[in-house]
Amino acid sequence: MKTIDELLADGVAGKRVFVRADLNVPLDGTTITDDGRIRAVLPTVRALADAGARVVVASHLGRPKGAPDPAFSLAPAARRIGELLDAEVRFADDTVGDSAKATVAALTDGQVAVIENLRFNAGETAKDDAERGAFADQLAELADVYVGDGFGAVHRKHASVFDLPARLPHYAGYLISTEVGVLKKLTEDVKRPYAVVLGGAKVSDKLGVIEHLLEKADRILIGGGMAYTFLKAQGHEVGISLLQEDQIPAVQGYLKRADERGVEFVLPLDVLVSGEFPDLKTKAPANPTTVAADAIPADQEGLDIGPETRKLYASKLADAATVFWNGPMGVFEHPDYAEGTKAVAQALLDSSAFTVVGGGDSAAAVRTLGFDENAFGHISTGGGASLEYLEGKTLPGLAALEN
C-alpha cells in the first residue's frame, strides 16, 4: 500500500488530489455535535494543501436515498474544515455536476474544496458494478490522484471507496495508515494479557468479532444491551431488557468454546434497572435500582452495569497489556446510566496497556463524558470497519489501496 508520504515526496503542487474522507459526523440540524472524524482527516488535508495540491475532499453523511436531501448536506462539515484550517474552503453543492466541476476548476495551488454528499448520487452505493463504475468515472474527472483516508467507510464496496482508486494513482492517507497499523497490533504479535470489552445494543452486531476473538483474546468482558442475551443464555431472567432470543444458541456455543479454550468470559454481576427507558432529551432523573444480574425483575429493563461489575471489570483490565474496547456499557447518554461506560474508560486510562477504543458509540462516549482523547492509545474513527478487520474480513477500501 503506497502512502501519502510517497506521494508528497514525488510532488503534488498543482495536482488535483481527491481525498476520500469520512465526514459522517452527527448533526443537530446544521450544528455538528462531534467533529472527531473531521479532525482526524485534517493532517492529510493540511499536508496536501501545504505542498501545493488542489485538494478535493469527498465523503458520505448519513443514509440519503441516492438523491439530494438538505438534512444530509456536507455544508456544515465544509465550514468546520475551514474553521480548523483557518482558511477558505470552497463548497460544491453537487457531486459531479456543474457546481463540482466549476468549484474544482477554480481551485488554485494549496486550496481546498468539499463536494456534496456522495450518497446524493445513487451510483455511490449501487450494487450493480456498471452503475457504480459509471459514477467512479465521473468522480475521476475531478482529480489526478486519489488519497483514501476515510477509514470509517473502507468496509463498504462503494464507488468512491472501491472503484475510484482503480481509475487513479492511489495512496493511503495518514489516518488509514495509522488505523491499519493499530489494528495489526491487535491481530499480529499481540502483547498479553489481551483483554477485550464488548458492549452496545446487539449481540448480532458482534458475532463475527467474538468468533474471531475466541482465537486471540485472553478475556472478553461483556456489557451493554448485548449482555442480557448472554445472561439469558445462562438461564437467567432478564425482564424487559434488550434481548435477541434467536442468538441464544450462538451465545451458548461461544460460552462453551471459551471454556474449552481457556478464554475468560466475564459477565455482569449486577445491573441498573428501571421500568421505563430514560428521557435522553430532558435527561430527567431516572432513579434506577441496582439488582443482581441473575435477579432482574420481570417488569424491569437493564440499562447499565452496576457498581460491583464496574469494580470487577476494572480489576480484569488492570493487568492487561493490550485492551480493545467497542461499545458502551449502558445508556451513557443519560447521566444516571453513564457510570458503567465511565468506569471502563477510566480503567483503560489507569492501565499501562496499549488501549484501543474501537470507534462508533465508544468514541462518542469518550468525548461526551469528557475524557482526554489523547490519553488513550488510539481512538478509531471506524467502528464497523475496525470490527470487520478484527473478524479477518477483506475490507474493499483497503484492498483497493493495496492493489
Side-chain angles (χ1 to χ4, degrees):
M1 186 186 296
K2 291 185 178 180
T3 68
I4 186 175
D5 284 331
E6 294 173 80
L7 172 61
L8 292 170
D10 290 340
V12 292
K15 292 182 179 178
R16 299 170 302 161
V17 180
F18 188 103
V19 177
R20 197 345 176 151
D22 179 8
L23 308 178
N24 187 26
V25 292
L27 293 171
D28 182 1
T30 59
T31 301
I32 297 170
T33 57
D34 182 351
D35 67 356
R37 283 177 167 164
I38 294 175
R39 287 184 286 110
V41 78
L42 280 187
T44 289
V45 173
R46 185 178 283 115
L48 290 167
D50 287 349
R54 304 178 184 193
V55 185
V56 182
V57 181
S59 176
H60 69 287
L61 192 154
R63 296 178 181 268
K65 301 187 183 301
D69 182 339
F72 298 108
S73 175
L74 279 176
R79 285 195 294 273
R80 184 59 179 148
I81 292 172
E83 291 168 358
L84 292 169
L85 290 176
D86 192 22
E88 178 191 9
V89 170
R90 302 184 179 205
F91 181 67
D93 60 16
D94 59 22
T95 56
V96 291
D98 292 341
S99 178
K101 292 174 183 174
T103 300
V104 173
L107 288 176
T108 58
D109 293 3
Q111 286 192 321
V112 178
V114 176
I115 63 174
E116 187 54 284
N117 192 335
L118 292 164
R119 291 186 183 174
F120 286 2
N121 190 305
E124 170 67 1
T125 59
K127 302 291 187 189
D128 181 74
D129 291 350
E131 184 180 356
R132 229 178 36 249
F135 183 48
D137 288 338
Q138 291 178 292
L139 291 172
E141 293 177 7
L142 300 176
D144 306 304
V145 181
Y146 177 93
V147 172
D149 215 29
F151 180 74
V154 293
H155 59 314
R156 306 296 187 193
K157 193 176 181 180
H158 290 170
S160 65
V161 176
F162 179 74
D163 302 271
L164 184 54
R167 289 156 168 80
L168 295 169
H170 46 271
Y171 302 81
Y174 290 126
L175 176 60
I176 279 186
S177 297
T178 298
E179 294 271 14
V180 171
V182 165
L183 289 169
K184 284 183 177 179
K185 291 183 180 180
L186 300 179
T187 54
E188 304 171 11
D189 194 26
V190 182
K191 292 184 178 179
R192 300 186 180 280
Y194 178 17
V196 175
V197 187
L198 296 177
K202 296 180 180 180
V203 172
S204 56
D205 292 342
K206 306 288 197 303
L207 285 178
V209 76
I210 293 172
E211 176 93 31
H212 194 71
L213 287 170
L214 284 172
E215 309 294 324
K216 300 281 186 181
D218 297 302
R219 60 186 73 126
I220 301 174
L221 287 59
I222 302 292
M226 63 185 288
Y228 304 102
T229 301
F230 278 85
L231 292 170
K232 186 72 171 180
Q234 292 185 323
H236 302 311
E237 170 66 55
V238 296
I240 58 173
S241 304
L242 189 63
L243 174 66
Q244 288 188 284
E245 206 139 6
D246 61 325
Q247 302 298 333
I248 288 176
V251 166
Q252 289 172 329
Y254 289 146
L255 291 171
K256 183 173 183 292
R257 280 179 55 199
D259 186 57
E260 292 170 349
R261 296 188 60 83
V263 177
E264 186 179 6
F265 244 106
V266 189
L267 299 179
L269 299 175
D270 57 349
V271 296
L272 271 60
V273 300
S274 175
E276 59 182 0
F277 198 82
D279 188 325
L280 299 183
K281 287 191 175 180
T282 66
K283 293 184 171 53
N287 301 315
T289 302
T290 301
V291 300
D294 60 358
I296 298 173
D299 62 347
Q300 300 284 295
E301 178 179 11
L303 295 165
D304 193 14
I305 57 174
E308 292 305 312
T309 305
R310 291 174 221 152
K311 292 178 189 174
L312 173 67
Y313 284 15
S315 72
K316 294 295 182 181
L317 298 173
D319 69 338
T322 304
V323 180
F324 173 71
W325 171 33
N326 181 282
M329 297 293 98
V331 186
F332 73 90
E333 299 91 341
H334 191 285
D336 287 351
Y337 301 105
E339 293 305 317
T341 303
K342 281 184 183 177
V344 168
Q346 188 61 53
L348 264 65
L349 293 184
D350 293 342
S351 167
S352 60
F354 174 63
T355 57
V356 179
V357 180
D361 287 341
S362 312
V366 164
R367 289 188 276 267
T368 300
L369 298 175
F371 289 93
D372 179 5
E373 296 176 62
N374 296 321
F376 297 88
H378 179 70
I379 297 181
S380 178
T381 57
S386 61
L387 286 176
E388 290 198 16
Y389 189 100
L390 292 181
E391 287 176 39
K393 290 184 176 179
T394 297
L395 306 189
L398 296 185
L401 292 175
E402 289 166 352
N403 188 347

